[in-house]
């Protein structure tokens, strides 16, 4: 621990009153180290030798006052009262932050011992034990007593104390703290005193409908959600009142719900044959369809209650699952599609069937013309739907107009509620309101019922829009909007990939056509210059020539020496053009060919072989030979004539 | 600062002479707090546990202070070994304290 430095010189600090005070006390001390220390500010107090009084210097006074204020503040935070008792355990001091309002004023305590107060929760044995603690001068904690205050209210107090001794180690009494724990005690009593009430409050706070059955399947009790669900006619027997035969209600359920199976499952749980029974079902159709989850859980056999029935609305969860399944199905179907049309149609069908919509159409963006052109569709096999789709064929809409144009431009989905919705919904429909036209007028664009339009996106931007129509179209939630965004992206990527593949296919086809026009056959060779492919050649198209080099071909002319230059070109990996060679058939006729080729390398730059074209130049060669022979004859005749 | 008996026992080796000290302070007075801190540092550094220190709060035991002839606080009194000596102030003058206690610093 570091030594502290000397205090600043006292005569230079403090008020005039303090300086006067200091002068007075300096008279009490003689010259010497005490005086020097006072003047140096290193003294807290002076003891008056005449009477032993301790006189505090101003700085020490201030420090002590601050200390007490801080201590009291802490006391106020930590507990309600501070008390002190004399050696006969009578209260001599009692101070608290809430003295007046607490009902425990000084008059109630001062001069009395704890057992003199109107405490009614301590028995004779308890008091004896406490007195023994006091006799043994033991500190005690959290002694809880119950008594009535000045106003007659019941109060619970928690008391802690420690013994006091003087300088001669003589016992002088106790001091301690006291806390009012009345509220805590009342809360505990409330919870422990009425377990049924608390349990009912908890049950009523739950959103899940809860009913409790006895061994005969009679409804013993139910919560608020159970009654509400019954009012909405949504549960299996839910809503039955206390005392009703729940099993009979289940069996009479009807509709597509197997009430008999439900009742049988409940009986098994009640009998202890199974711990739980679970049944999911739905009610309503279209927009009003909702899904529910029925759970029956067994209760301990000794209780009157034998099973707990819970019924929860799982519509949101089920819709989320459906949308997730739809996303996966779209991805799978696009992966399996053989072409763009098949993929588009399959996706449109999947979305319609998943959401209960009548039909869907895809309008492809034609950027050069600035229109959205009908491309593909799918619909239910209904006359009205087929008629509608037929009318759509060949349609083109301006890319910057109408509902489709709005979706194309903004990249955001849009929906219009159909005629089955109420008039307010139609007025509130975005397209109808902003376009200033009725939904009837929009029918050619929106189709039957409502319409939901969302973009198909790719790396190049928005490729087109998907338009779904039907009476089942409703305002989409966030999950639905997320799903259509995913579907639009997958479809856009698929269409872009297909376009690229189609372009490549066409390019390859064009190349083949050009090749066929410019040459008679196409060939490829490996690194040893042996044929691996020959296409289009009647002379060398036979598979027996695969594995041969050009110079290995039967009856080939020139001989080995003639191929030397060509081989050196190949070894040097040069391209070559119009290298001529010939073959001789059994009749001695020569056939002439011209080949051109270039080396092939893989992506890593490794030599893979050669590829090239070949041309049958036999006719040309024979014509050349015939021409030379004719020329020779003419020369010969001319020479003879000259002679 | 409340002290029940004003005493504070410290362990000591059996063979060395024990230095007995009494420090008179005034509750939580600033110089008293400083004196306690300075004295503890000096004892730890120079006495090696070979001391017995008693701290008396004169506000709680004024008669004891009067009987011992204490005039101001904080004051430090060396009771043994002889000669007895006394230092007043907050003991921030370490060399002076060591001199008074007869310790070679």
């Amino acid at each position: 621990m570091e030594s502290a430095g000397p205090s600043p010189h006292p005569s230079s600090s403090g008020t005039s009153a303090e300086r006067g005070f200091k002068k007075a006390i300096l008279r009490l001390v003689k010259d010497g180290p005490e005086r020097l220390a006072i003047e140096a500010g290193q003294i807290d107090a002076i003891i008056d030798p005449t009477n032993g009084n301790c006189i505090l210097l101003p700085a020490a006074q201030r420090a002590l006052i601050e200390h007490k204020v801080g201590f009291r503040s802490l006391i106020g935070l930590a507990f309600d009262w501070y008390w002190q008792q004399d050696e006969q355990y009578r209260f001599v001091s009692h101070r608290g932050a809430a003295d007046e309002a607490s009902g425990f004023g000084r008059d109630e305590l001062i001069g009395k011992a704890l057992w003199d107060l109107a405490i009614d929760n301590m028995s004779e044995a308890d008091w004896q034990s406490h007195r023994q603690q006091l006799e043994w001068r033991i500190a005690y904690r959290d002694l809880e007593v119950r008594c009535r205050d000045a106003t007659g209210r019941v109060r619970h107090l928690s008391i802690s104390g420690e013994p006091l001794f003087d300088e001669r180690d003589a016992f002088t009494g106790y001091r301690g703290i006291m806390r009012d724990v009345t509220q805590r005690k009342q809360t505990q009593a409330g919870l422990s005193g009425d377990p049924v009430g608390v349990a009912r409050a908890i049950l009523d706070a739950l959103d899940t409908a809860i009913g409790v059955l006895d061994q005969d399947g009679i409804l013993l009790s139910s919560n608020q959600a159970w009654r509400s669900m019954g009012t909405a006619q949504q549960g299996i027997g839910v809503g039955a009142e206390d005392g009703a035969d729940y099993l009979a209600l289940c069996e009479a359920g009807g509709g597509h719900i197997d009430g008999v199976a439900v009742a049988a499952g409940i009986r098994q749980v009640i009998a202890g044959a199974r711990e739980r029974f679970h049944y999911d079902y739905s009610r309503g159709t279209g927009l009003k369809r909702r899904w529910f989850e029925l759970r029956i859980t067994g209760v301990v056999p000794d209780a009157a209650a034998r099973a707990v029935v819970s019924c929860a609305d799982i519509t949101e969860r089920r819709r989320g699952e459906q949308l997730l399944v739809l996303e996966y199905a779209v991805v799978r179907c696009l992966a399996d599609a053989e072409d763009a049309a098949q993929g588009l149609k399959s996706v449109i069908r999947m979305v319609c069937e998943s959401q209960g919509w009548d039909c869907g159409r895809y309008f492809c963006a034609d950027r050069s013309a600035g229109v959205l052109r009908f491309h593909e569709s799918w619909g239910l096999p209904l006359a009205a739907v087929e008629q509608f789709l037929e009318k759509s064929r060949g349609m083109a809409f301006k890319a910057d107009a109408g509902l489709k144009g709005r979706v194309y431009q903004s990249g955001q989905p849009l929906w219009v509620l159909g005629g089955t919705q109420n008039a307010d919904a139609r007025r509130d429909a975005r397209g109808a309101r902003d376009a200033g036209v009725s939904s009837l007028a929009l029918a050619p664009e929106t189709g039957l019922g409502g319409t939901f339009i969302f973009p198909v996106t790719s790396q190049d931007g928005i490729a087109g829009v998907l338009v779904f129509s039907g009476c089942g179209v409703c305002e989409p939630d966030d999950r639905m909007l997320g799903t259509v965004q995913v579907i639009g992206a997958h479809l856009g990527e698929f269409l872009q990939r297909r376009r690229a593949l189609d372009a490549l296919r066409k390019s390859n086809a064009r190349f083949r056509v050009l090749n066929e026009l410019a040459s008679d056959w196409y060939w490829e060779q490996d690194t040893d210059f042996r044929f691996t492919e020959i296409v289009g050649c009647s002379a060398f198209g036979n598979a027996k020539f695969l594995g041969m080099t050009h110079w290995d071909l039967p009856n080939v002319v020139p001989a080995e020496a003639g191929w030397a230059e060509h081989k050196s070109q190949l070894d040097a990996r040069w391209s070559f053009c119009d290298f001529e060679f010939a073959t001789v058939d059994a009749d001695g006729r020569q056939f002439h060919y011209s080949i051109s080729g270039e080396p092939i390398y893989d992506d890593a730059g490794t030599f893979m072989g050669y590829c090239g074209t070949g041309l049958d130049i036999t006719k040309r060669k024979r014509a050349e030979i015939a021409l030379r022979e004719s020329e020779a004859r003419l020369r010969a005749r001319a020479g003879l004539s000259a002679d | 600062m409340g002290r029940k008996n004003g005493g504070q026992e410290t362990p000591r080796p059996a063979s060395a002479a024990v230095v007995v000290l009494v420090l008179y302070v005034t509750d939580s007075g600033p110089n008293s707090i400083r004196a306690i801190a300075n004295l503890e540092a000096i004892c730890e550094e120079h006495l090696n546990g070979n001391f017995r220190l008693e701290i008396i709060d004169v506000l709680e035991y004024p008669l004891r202070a009067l009987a011992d002839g204490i005039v101001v606080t904080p004051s430090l009194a060396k009771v043994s070994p002889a000669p007895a000596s006394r230092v007043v102030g907050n003991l921030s003058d370490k060399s002076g304290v060591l001199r008074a206690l007869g310790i070679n610093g």
Side-chain angles (χ1 to χ4, degrees), chain A residues 1-7 28-29 33-34 37-38 41-54 56 59-60 63-64 67-68 165-169, chain B residues 1 4-5 26-34 36-38 40-42 58-66 70-74 88-94:
Chain A
M1 195 182 300
E2 294 181 3
S3 300
S7 304
L28 292 175
V29 298
E34 289 86 358
I38 290 171
Q42 291 195 14
I43 298 299
D44 289 334
I46 294 171
I47 298 175
D48 188 341
T50 59
N51 53 27
N53 287 341
C54 187
L56 292 172
L64 279 171
H67 182 75
K68 283 187 178 171
F165 301 89
D166 64 12
E167 58 192 11
R168 289 183 290 272
D169 284 342
Chain B
M1 187 194 313
K4 182 181 78 171
N5 205 16
T26 310
D27 198 6
S28 56
N31 288 300
S32 298
I33 293 171
R34 205 171 293 163
I36 293 171
N38 287 335
E40 284 182 350
I42 290 170
V58 300
L59 292 181
E60 287 192 37
Y61 307 105
L63 295 179
R64 168 76 186 270
L66 195 62
I70 298 301
V71 180
V72 297
T73 62
V88 298
N90 59 21
L91 310 184
S92 54
D93 180 15
K94 181 180 172 185

Side-chain angles (χ1 to χ4, degrees), chain A residues 465-520:
Chain A
V465 296
L466 276 167
V467 184
F468 292 91
S469 306
C471 301
V473 172
C474 60
E475 183 167 350
D477 57 13
D478 289 342
R479 249 193 313 251
M480 181 65 180
L481 291 175
T483 297
V484 300
Q485 188 178 9
V486 169
I487 292 174
H490 280 306
L491 192 54
E493 187 189 323
F494 166 79
L495 292 173
Q496 187 177 28
R497 200 167 54 242
R498 282 289 162 184
R499 269 198 300 276
L501 282 173
D502 287 345
L504 187 62
R505 214 174 288 122
K506 285 177 186 169
S507 173
N508 286 345
R510 277 197 296 272
F511 172 75
R512 281 207 177 86
V513 166
L514 271 172
N515 199 25
E516 283 169 8
L517 289 173
S519 60
D520 290 326

Side-chain angles (χ1 to χ4, degrees), chain A residues 449-569:
Chain A
T451 292
F452 184 49
I453 310 172
F454 61 89
V456 173
T457 57
S458 67
Q459 285 181 348
D460 297 335
I462 296 176
V465 296
L466 276 167
V467 184
F468 292 91
S469 306
C471 301
V473 172
C474 60
E475 183 167 350
D477 57 13
D478 289 342
R479 249 193 313 251
M480 181 65 180
L481 291 175
T483 297
V484 300
Q485 188 178 9
V486 169
I487 292 174
H490 280 306
L491 192 54
E493 187 189 323
F494 166 79
L495 292 173
Q496 187 177 28
R497 200 167 54 242
R498 282 289 162 184
R499 269 198 300 276
L501 282 173
D502 287 345
L504 187 62
R505 214 174 288 122
K506 285 177 186 169
S507 173
N508 286 345
R510 277 197 296 272
F511 172 75
R512 281 207 177 86
V513 166
L514 271 172
N515 199 25
E516 283 169 8
L517 289 173
S519 60
D520 290 326
W521 72 92
Y522 170 81
W523 55 268
E524 282 187 13
Q525 291 173 336
D526 61 12
T527 53
D528 293 323
F529 315 116
R530 299 180 201 281
F531 287 117
T532 57
E533 187 175 358
I534 302 175
V535 179
C537 177
S538 57
F540 304 116
N542 200 311
K544 69 179 180 182
F545 295 113
L546 295 178
M548 293 184 182
T549 63
H550 271 117
W551 47 89
D552 289 335
L553 292 171
N555 308 315
V556 70
V557 177
E560 186 66 27
W563 288 97
E565 187 184 342
H566 179 66
K567 284 181 184 177
S568 68
Q569 282 182 325

Side-chain angles (χ1 to χ4, degrees), chain A residues 17-252:
Chain A
E18 287 179 359
R19 285 196 293 275
F21 174 70
K22 202 162 282 182
K23 278 183 185 172
I25 62 175
L26 280 174
R27 291 190 205 107
L28 292 175
V29 298
K30 300 172 184 173
D31 290 338
E34 289 86 358
R35 194 181 184 92
L36 290 172
I38 290 171
E39 288 176 342
Q42 291 195 14
I43 298 299
D44 289 334
I46 294 171
I47 298 175
D48 188 341
T50 59
N51 53 27
N53 287 341
C54 187
I55 304 168
L56 292 172
L57 268 67
Q61 284 181 22
R62 281 195 294 272
L64 279 171
I65 289 169
E66 283 170 12
H67 182 75
K68 283 187 178 171
V69 167
F71 182 69
R72 283 202 186 104
S73 172
L74 277 174
I75 285 177
L77 290 173
F79 33 77
D80 297 312
W81 298 281
Y82 170 79
W83 54 265
Q84 212 159 329
Q85 293 170 338
D86 62 12
E87 65 276 6
Q88 291 173 26
Y89 318 113
R90 294 174 301 193
F91 286 103
V92 297
S93 164
H94 177 257
R95 291 192 297 276
D99 245 351
E100 296 304 321
S102 67
F104 274 109
R106 292 173 55 82
D107 294 340
E108 280 73 36
L109 290 180
I110 300 301
K112 296 178 186 171
L114 200 57
W115 42 84
D116 294 331
L117 303 177
I119 292 172
D120 56 13
N121 70 324
M122 296 278 281
S123 65
E124 198 50 48
D126 293 331
W127 283 124
Q128 205 166 355
S129 172
H130 180 60
R131 277 183 166 134
Q132 191 70 75
Q133 275 182 321
L134 300 179
E135 292 299 322
W136 288 345
R137 314 298 184 229
I138 293 174
Y140 60 93
R141 290 193 183 278
D142 296 328
L143 173 69
E144 292 193 358
V145 300
R146 186 178 65 205
C147 58
R148 290 188 184 274
D149 62 14
T151 62
R153 285 179 300 171
V154 171
R155 306 297 284 269
H156 294 265
L157 305 174
S158 174
I159 308 173
S160 301
E162 63 178 9
L164 290 172
F165 301 89
D166 64 12
E167 58 192 11
R168 289 183 290 272
D169 284 342
F171 175 68
T172 60
Y174 265 79
R175 68 179 174 187
I177 58 170
M178 202 183 288
R179 287 182 295 146
D180 189 337
V181 297
T182 307
Q183 192 168 2
R184 173 171 61 86
K185 283 293 194 183
Q186 284 174 348
T187 304
Q188 282 175 351
L191 281 174
S192 60
D194 182 18
V196 174
V198 170
R200 179 163 291 281
I202 292 171
L203 281 177
D204 281 339
L206 297 174
D207 290 335
T208 303
I210 305 278
V212 181
L213 308 179
D214 69 3
Q215 62 180 3
D216 297 320
I218 304 297
L219 190 66
L220 291 177
S221 63
S222 57
N223 69 346
Q224 183 62 42
W226 176 282
R227 293 183 282 278
S228 300
M229 201 175 255
T231 305
Q233 300 290 317
Q234 288 178 332
I236 304 177
V238 171
E241 293 182 354
D242 295 357
D245 186 343
Y246 184 71
L247 294 179
L249 284 170
C250 287
E251 285 166 339

